[in-house]
Amino acid sequence: MPFHSVDAWQHQHDFSTSAELKAERRTRWVVYLTLVTMIVELTAGWLTGSMALLADGWHMGSHAAALGLSVFAYGLARRWAKRPSFTFGTGKIPTLAGYSSALLLGLGAVWMLVESISRLFQPIEIRYADAMLVACLGLLVNLASAWILAQGGGHDHGHGHHHGHGHGHGHGHDPDKDHHHAPPHSRGAEHKDHNLRAAYLHVLADAMTSLLAITALGAGMLFGWVFLDPVMGMVGAALIGSWSWSLARDSARSLLDAEDHSEIAARIRTTLESDPDLAIADLHLWRIGAASRACILSLVTHEPRPVEEYKQRLRSIPGLDHLTIEVQQCRDERCLNTENL
């Protein structure tokens, strides 16, 4: 019988994907573009005395800071991927950044709403030419940023590692079979990158704000509809607030391991319980990366098989990159009655 050192059973908990690396690069380019635009607007505002350009320049600075948070989170997750203190890896660091960005979006929406209501009752003088220039420049920059972030679409789900763990009672265990790297099925896994979504929503929010501003400014210049500017601000605040709530809700569910995994769970049950002598007593699923899930299974059977055999049946289900199986042998005919489990 061949000897296997303990190293054969150990593994890394790095569940990063090539899509996340590409997203980090694209987000970094957007930060650079935003910073350049900020410098141009601040310089032009100072030279021309335009408060509109100066205000939007500082706004671009806050925009760059929010996007920089996304880049920082990707880098941190990659840098700390091998730290043992992160029990299931660092896959949730970008999700935490996405949640934080959702809160920033929400604060921005509240500020827009308060400011718009204030201007509705106390209109201020608008320098239409400067404001239109700023709005058009902002729209072009944000459309370019959205295009950069959208490149690749996040559909590349290649994993650096895949880890299947089986813990069976009373069964032999071959580490040569139980440790897998980058299986073909992981490439088809569902990909949820809340960090990239947050960066994209920041850009879209700014683009939509610029578009609404252009509409309001155009109506003000042509028809004197000064009231339309704060009204458009309130419309934008409502939409951005809705996006913020959606992102915060989804990222919070992932952070709290409260996502809906019913579809994957149903596939696991169907795959394993098609065997009449096998029942699932306990099933836990949670996300540990943008395209990776961990799964703990407790199986009950009269005739236990090697853990590797059960794992082999689940190979067709994508994204199960950390699988732990416990096998319980039952000597009672009634134990496979799933209603009693």
Side-chain angles (χ1 to χ4, degrees):
M1 180 177 178
F3 171 77
H4 297 286
S5 70
V6 71
D7 293 340
W9 299 78
Q10 295 176 340
H11 58 275
Q12 299 294 330
H13 287 87
D14 183 1
F15 300 105
S16 61
T17 68
S18 57
E20 288 176 289
L21 292 175
K22 292 177 182 178
E24 180 183 352
R25 288 195 295 268
R26 293 196 301 271
T27 307
R28 187 179 290 112
W29 277 110
V30 170
V31 172
Y32 296 154
L33 176 61
T34 305
L35 287 174
V36 169
T37 306
M38 178 193 74
I39 293 171
V40 170
E41 287 189 341
L42 289 177
T43 303
W46 181 71
L47 293 175
T48 63
S50 170
M51 286 304 299
L53 281 171
L54 286 171
D56 201 63
W58 289 117
H59 171 71
M60 280 290 180
S62 64
H63 184 49
L67 292 169
L69 176 64
S70 296
V71 176
F72 178 71
Y74 282 128
L76 208 60
R78 189 178 63 254
R79 201 173 308 121
W80 289 354
K82 296 182 180 180
R83 287 197 177 188
S85 55
F86 292 91
T87 305
F88 285 97
T90 56
K92 287 189 176 181
I93 289 180
T95 303
L96 179 60
Y99 180 78
S100 302
S101 290
L103 298 183
L104 292 176
L105 272 176
L107 288 175
V110 171
W111 176 84
M112 282 181 64
L113 181 61
V114 172
E115 187 70 14
S116 297
I117 292 175
S118 173
R119 292 192 182 189
L120 187 63
F121 292 101
Q122 296 180 335
I124 63 172
E125 182 182 355
I126 299 176
R127 297 172 60 176
Y128 285 104
D130 285 346
M132 184 67 81
L133 174 63
V134 169
C136 290
L137 177 62
L139 180 60
L140 290 175
V141 170
N142 286 298
L143 288 177
S145 299
W147 179 81
I148 292 172
L149 290 175
Q151 295 305 298
H155 297 302
D156 184 351
H157 308 303
H159 293 265
H161 298 281
H162 172 78
H163 309 293
H165 302 287
H167 301 289
H169 295 282
H171 302 295
H173 189 100
D174 187 349
D176 290 337
K177 293 181 179 180
D178 271 355
H179 195 71
H180 306 282
H181 294 273
H185 76 254
S186 66
R187 300 192 64 84
E190 171 201 26
H191 194 282
K192 277 193 176 182
D193 189 340
H194 296 290
N195 197 28
L196 178 60
R197 179 184 170 193
Y200 196 70
L201 284 182
H202 271 288
V203 169
L204 281 186
D206 266 8
M208 185 204 64
T209 302
S210 298
L211 188 59
L212 291 174
I214 290 171
T215 303
L217 291 169
M221 292 174 67
L222 294 175
F223 309 112
W225 294 351
V226 180
F227 71 90
L228 200 58
D229 184 65
V231 169
M232 286 298 188
M234 286 187 282
V235 171
L239 190 54
I240 294 171
S242 173
W243 291 347
S244 168
W245 170 254
S246 175
L247 175 60
R249 179 195 60 206
D250 292 346
S251 53
R253 284 176 178 170
S254 180
L255 290 171
L256 296 173
D257 298 327
E259 286 185 272
D260 181 10
H261 301 290
S262 57
E263 184 179 343
I264 300 296
R267 291 184 62 181
I268 292 173
R269 289 187 180 279
T270 300
T271 301
L272 293 178
E273 292 184 340
S274 60
D275 182 345
D277 189 48
L278 191 64
I280 296 176
D282 202 15
L283 170 59
H284 297 279
L285 279 165
W286 67 98
R287 190 176 296 278
I288 51 177
S292 298
R293 287 181 175 89
C295 178
I296 294 178
L297 277 172
S298 181
L299 305 179
V300 179
T301 180
H302 290 99
E303 298 180 3
R305 307 293 301 166
V307 170
E308 174 63 22
E309 182 174 318
Y310 301 120
K311 290 169 61 265
Q312 194 70 30
R313 299 182 193 181
L314 299 175
R315 291 294 184 104
S316 62
I317 301 177
L320 294 182
D321 294 324
H322 199 296
L323 178 61
T324 303
I325 296 179
E326 180 182 58
V327 182
Q328 306 285 354
Q329 185 174 14
C330 177
R331 293 176 175 82
D332 189 329
E333 287 294 330
R334 295 172 297 175
C335 66
L336 292 185
N337 181 352
T338 55
E339 293 182 357
N340 295 327
L341 291 178

